[in-house]
Amino acid sequence: MPDLVLTLAADLPPTEPLRLDKALAEAAPASASLSRSRIVRLIAEGAVRGPGGIVRDGKARALPGEYVITIGAPEPIDARPEAIPLTIAYEDDELIVIDKPAGMVVHPAPGSPSGTLVNALLAHCAGSLSGIGGALRPGIVHRIDKDTSGLLVVAKTDRAHHALARQFEDHSASRRYLALAHGVIDPADPRLRGLPGISFEPGGVLRIATNIGRHPSDRQRQAVSAAQGRHAVTRARMLESFGQPPAAMLAECRLETGRTHQIRVHLTYCGLGLIGDPVYGGARRASIRALGPEAAAAVAEFPRQALHAAHLGFDHPADGRRLSFDSPMPEDMTTLAAALRGTGPDSLRSDI
């Protein structure tokens, strides 16, 4: 890749010194697909030469003049391509939309070095990745948990990665999940209305707005926090209730933000934990009296959190057209919903 030459103007504000990394990020053309974090790494690597020679401190004051950035070819990442079948909802030169099955980890980690979505994409996209952040890898814009099924978009180019990341940050990307959960959303429930951060919107939509951060005693979990963590907003709408009296529900959850385990944490906070959730569900059991023995048994035997990423929408990073994708509930969740209704799978509602 040829060097990128940027010229910083001579009229940089003298009273408010501009940091070099910020100045270069603002001066770089969109076609270069250089994020500020990427520029910081290039400066640290000695790949930026300014008016006074090589610079290695991105916090230094930006000086007027010419800067040459040696970007270099993208480097391969430490992950092996694996020929794992994928369900592809959409693909072009910029991005790919995957309908992920439950049980697949998105990114390699110490406990899951192989068999991940990234391993599968490295094989599927061989030869079509242009490099994300200097590495020859698929750009993971957002993740869904291992045992959550459904849609996610992955970038193939730096341009797509930056554009999609901005949409998730400014909430212009749309995400809807289907969840089978214990309990029901009841606007008249005084316990629910008494929780901090809880409000109701028209149509019986439950709005949950809290901070979410690391659990104080369990590093594997997240928790609602009064003062720490990051702001998170989830909206949940009950689509169907099950049992007499109602003891479980099918809900649609819309994410405004995208924090780790957000839906699972927020619903548990409201006393509406996901069926099958091994981390946040605790030892909660379905009511045999309300649901009947067969449905209660189906709930007890469900092996994962009953959560599915059913809808994904965003603007294409190259031409701006709106793309929208929908994925029906997978078989294990439709079977569970049928058991909760006390009927067979053929009676499932047609609008879900």
Side-chain angles (χ1 to χ4, degrees):
M1 182 177 294
D3 292 344
L4 177 66
V5 180
L6 302 177
T7 301
L8 299 186
D11 58 350
L12 292 169
T15 55
E16 298 181 7
L18 188 63
R19 285 175 46 145
L20 178 60
D21 54 4
K22 183 177 180 181
L24 292 177
E26 292 178 352
S31 59
S33 297
L34 280 178
S35 65
R36 185 172 172 183
S37 60
R38 177 83 189 282
I39 288 175
V40 168
R41 291 196 299 272
L42 289 169
I43 291 173
E45 294 167 1
V48 177
R49 180 181 294 275
I54 292 176
V55 292
R56 294 184 180 274
D57 183 7
K59 298 179 182 179
R61 177 176 177 173
L63 300 176
E66 186 177 271
Y67 288 81
V68 179
I69 304 176
T70 302
I71 299 175
E75 299 177 356
I77 64 171
D78 187 20
R80 301 190 315 273
E82 298 179 27
I84 302 170
L86 293 171
T87 300
I88 299 171
Y90 176 84
E91 182 177 12
D92 61 22
D93 292 341
E94 296 282 342
L95 57 89
I96 182 170
V97 178
I98 301 294
D99 197 340
K100 186 187 83 68
M104 174 180 272
V105 175
V106 171
H107 202 278
S112 305
S114 62
T116 72
L117 179 61
V118 166
N119 295 112
L121 288 170
L122 286 172
H124 175 81
C125 300
S128 65
L129 297 175
S130 67
I132 308 293
L136 200 60
R137 62 181 175 88
I140 305 299
V141 182
H142 63 125
R143 303 187 189 190
I144 55 179
D145 298 333
K146 171 186 176 183
D147 288 326
T148 297
S149 55
L151 297 164
L152 75 163
V153 59
V154 180
K156 290 184 176 182
T157 68
D158 243 336
R159 174 175 70 172
H161 191 257
H162 297 157
L164 291 169
R166 282 195 299 270
Q167 293 182 56
F168 280 87
E169 289 171 2
D170 65 19
H171 316 314
S172 60
S174 60
R175 288 171 287 173
R176 294 198 301 270
Y177 290 71
L178 292 175
L180 289 164
H182 294 280
V184 295
I185 296 174
D186 181 3
D189 184 350
R191 183 200 61 79
L192 192 57
R193 283 190 169 275
L195 287 174
I198 298 300
S199 61
F200 281 90
E201 296 178 340
V205 174
L206 171 65
R207 183 178 186 269
I208 313 162
T210 72
N211 285 356
I212 290 180
R214 190 76 68 179
H215 192 281
S217 60
D218 185 347
R219 301 294 295 175
Q220 302 302 314
R221 300 176 62 191
Q222 302 292 309
V224 167
S225 172
Q228 299 180 350
R230 303 174 68 189
H231 185 61
V233 179
T234 304
R235 288 175 172 84
R237 178 172 66 94
M238 186 167 68
L239 301 177
E240 190 174 359
S241 64
F242 310 108
Q244 290 295 333
M249 67 172 176
L250 172 64
E252 177 190 78
C253 299
R254 297 181 180 234
L255 289 179
E256 182 174 312
T257 55
R259 311 306 179 205
T260 301
H261 298 172
Q262 179 174 318
I263 291 174
R264 299 164 69 187
V265 172
H266 268 168
L267 289 185
T268 297
Y269 173 68
C270 296
L272 303 169
L274 294 177
I275 290 172
D277 192 332
V279 177
Y280 299 96
R284 184 163 181 174
R285 297 181 179 179
S287 169
I288 295 177
R289 181 176 64 86
L291 296 173
E294 292 186 4
V299 169
E301 295 168 2
F302 199 72
R304 68 174 179 100
Q305 65 259 14
L307 185 63
H308 177 67
H311 171 82
L312 177 64
F314 54 87
D315 295 334
H316 195 282
D319 56 29
R321 61 196 162 96
R322 190 68 176 179
L323 298 179
S324 181
F325 305 94
D326 294 284
S327 170
M329 280 203 306
E331 183 179 357
D332 61 347
M333 285 182 64
T334 58
T335 300
L336 176 58
L340 287 166
R341 294 186 188 98
T343 59
D346 292 340
S347 68
L348 288 175
R349 284 173 44 179
S350 61
D351 60 340
I352 296 174

